[in-house]
Amino acid sequence: MSLDAFLALLVYALVTSITPGPNNFMLLASGVNFGIVRTVPHMLGISIGFLVLLVAVGLGLGAVLTAFPILHTALKIAGGAYLLYLAWKIAMSRSLAGKGEAEGQPMRFIDAAAFQWVNPKAWVMAITAMAVYTNPEHPFLSVVLISVAFTVVNLPSVSVWAGFGTALRGFLSDPVRLKWFNIAMGVLLAATLWPMLR
C-alpha cells in the first residue's frame, strides 16, 4: 500500500469512527450517565470488537455473507432488534450514576465487543475498508495495515464522544434535562437503523 493510500485509509477510518452512529450515541449517553472512568470498558470493547470484526471480514467473512444472503438478513434482524432494545434502555434511564452507585450499569467490555457483530455501521465500515483498500497482490498485509489504521484512530475517536458526554454531566444533573437527553439519545440510536431499512 502506498503512503497516499494509507493516508487516505487513515482519513476514512477517522471520518467513519468519529461521526455519529450507534456506538458513538451510546458512548455519549454512557459518558453522561456514568462518567468517563466507568465508560472505559465500553470504549475498549468497541475498539477491540471492531478490530476483530475487521480482521474477520478481511479474512473472508464478508464473502461468506455475500454468498449466503440469509445469514446477512438474519444478522440485520438480530442487530436491529438489539439496537432497539439498547435505544429503549437509554431512553428510559432517569438518573446519573455516581461513583460506586449500583443503579444502572454501563455497557460491559464483552457486550460492547459483541455489539460490533450486529452493528450495521460497523459492518459497512469494515466491508468498505476491505473492499477499497485491500491490495489483491498482498491480501494479508493489506488486512494488517487496515487493522492498524483503524486501531490507531478508533479509540481516540470514540473517546471524544464519551468525554463530551462526561462534560455534559453537570448540565444534565437536572432530572428533567437528563430525561429529555436520554429520550433524545434513544431516538437517535433507533434512527441509526434507517439506512439499514432502506
Side-chain angles (χ1 to χ4, degrees):
M1 181 180 299
S2 69
L3 179 60
D4 288 347
F6 189 70
L7 291 175
L9 171 60
L10 285 173
V11 170
Y12 172 76
L14 176 64
V15 169
T16 55
S17 294
I18 205 162
T19 52
N23 285 323
N24 292 335
F25 286 137
M26 287 191 297
L27 285 171
L28 180 63
S30 185
V32 165
N33 288 287
F34 304 108
I36 193 82
V37 172
R38 292 185 66 197
T39 301
V40 167
H42 187 167
M43 293 185 292
L44 293 173
I46 289 170
S47 294
I48 301 299
F50 182 70
L51 175 63
V52 172
L53 174 66
L54 194 60
V55 170
V57 168
L59 297 179
L61 184 60
V64 170
L65 291 176
T66 302
F68 299 98
I70 191 75
L71 291 176
H72 186 244
T73 301
L75 189 64
K76 285 173 73 170
I77 291 169
Y82 188 57
L83 199 127
L84 288 174
Y85 165 74
L86 292 173
W88 177 258
K89 280 184 64 173
I90 289 171
M92 294 297 104
S93 178
R94 294 291 180 261
S95 64
L96 294 177
K99 289 183 181 177
E101 283 186 34
E103 185 179 325
Q105 296 294 322
M107 187 174 266
R108 298 176 311 158
F109 172 88
I110 194 71
D111 296 330
F115 177 68
Q116 303 321 297
W117 291 83
V118 294
N119 178 353
K121 184 180 176 187
W123 278 95
V124 169
M125 289 167 59
I127 290 170
T128 302
M130 290 302 168
V132 173
Y133 295 103
T134 301
N135 181 343
E137 295 175 14
H138 305 286
F140 182 74
L141 181 59
S142 296
V143 170
V144 169
L145 288 174
I146 292 166
S147 300
V148 166
F150 271 96
T151 300
V152 166
V153 167
N154 191 266
L155 187 58
S157 297
V158 298
S159 298
V160 167
W161 286 82
F164 185 58
T166 301
L168 289 174
R169 277 176 71 84
F171 176 73
L172 295 173
S173 61
D174 175 276
V176 174
R177 288 184 193 142
L178 180 65
K179 170 188 166 184
W180 288 108
F181 171 82
N182 283 334
I183 289 171
M185 288 297 98
V187 169
L188 286 172
L189 181 58
T192 63
L193 283 174
W194 176 248
M196 187 174 79
L197 299 173
R198 289 189 299 167

